[in-house]
Amino acid sequence: MAKDFEQINLTHHFLIAMPGLNDEAFARSVIYMCEHSDRGALGLIINKPSDINLKRLFDKVELPLHRDDLSDTPVFQGGPVQTERGFVLHESMMPGNESVYASTMTIPGGLEMTTSKDVLEALSTGAGPRKVFVSLGYSAWGEGQLESEISDNSWLTVAADIAVIFDTPVAERYDKALMLLGLQSWMLSPEAGHA
């Protein structure tokens, strides 16, 4: 199936759900793409907060949180896959491709995604990355699946702006991502059109 599509790389891009995408997990979502290759894709939904904040998450993993700036920050629903597992998206901690954490994916564009507990331990002491986005679960697509969904008019794509992730209020992230394309939500139709 993947061979039917010209290979695109959406790593460090946003996927923006079109109005016709009615899947409850993805409706009106903005997904930051951490990895995209011919084998599939992985991303984190950046605009769907869960009902717990970082203080409560740290309590659950039995770590203190000595970062007052993060206590009330929501933990996000990163997607429907492995919803019990934590993912920490953060600014790069080291120049080059070396990471200071045990299990980190370096994302071209200046961000890293860490899944090992050592990033939480660093944050608990007041250290660690200054800007963090924490989610439970992730979004994933198999080979050719994302390309097929894009051709079916389920998603818009645009190069990511990390300010949308770290500096934009959650309620405004969908509209801010659309603005990167020069669009507003009222301009989008829930109907797919193919010439």
Side-chain angles (χ1 to χ4, degrees), residues 28 43 98 108 136 174 182:
R28 281 192 59 87
E98 296 292 316
L136 293 174
Y174 185 82

Side-chain angles (χ1 to χ4, degrees), residues 83-179:
T83 56
E84 71 292 339
R85 188 166 175 205
F87 298 83
V88 181
L89 188 64
H90 56 86
E91 61 201 346
S92 180
M93 296 298 292
M94 296 283 288
N97 288 332
E98 296 292 316
S99 177
V100 297
Y101 303 115
S103 181
T104 297
M105 171 193 298
T106 300
I107 304 164
L111 296 181
E112 296 178 343
M113 183 185 66
T114 300
T115 56
S116 50
K117 191 175 179 182
D118 52 355
V119 69
L120 298 181
E121 291 165 346
L123 291 169
S124 81
T125 67
R130 291 290 102 198
K131 295 185 180 212
V132 296
F133 169 91
V134 179
S135 77
L136 293 174
Y138 65 95
S139 302
W141 294 262
E143 180 182 349
Q145 185 181 4
L146 179 58
E147 292 83 352
S148 177
E149 290 180 14
I150 290 169
S151 73
D152 288 342
N153 205 38
S154 294
W155 302 100
L156 292 171
T157 64
V158 65
D161 177 349
I162 62 172
V164 175
I165 302 168
F166 297 117
D167 303 323
T168 303
V170 176
E172 297 173 21
R173 291 179 186 175
Y174 185 82
D175 291 329
K176 287 278 192 196
L178 282 174
M179 282 186 219

Side-chain angles (χ1 to χ4, degrees), residues 71-86:
S71 291
D72 294 328
T73 301
V75 174
F76 287 78
Q77 300 168 16
V81 182
Q82 292 189 358
T83 56
E84 71 292 339
R85 188 166 175 205

Side-chain angles (χ1 to χ4, degrees), residues 17-28 48 154 190-191:
M18 287 291 287
L21 184 57
N22 294 321
D23 181 316
E24 187 178 326
F26 296 112
R28 281 192 59 87
K48 299 217 174 185
S154 294
E191 305 298 319

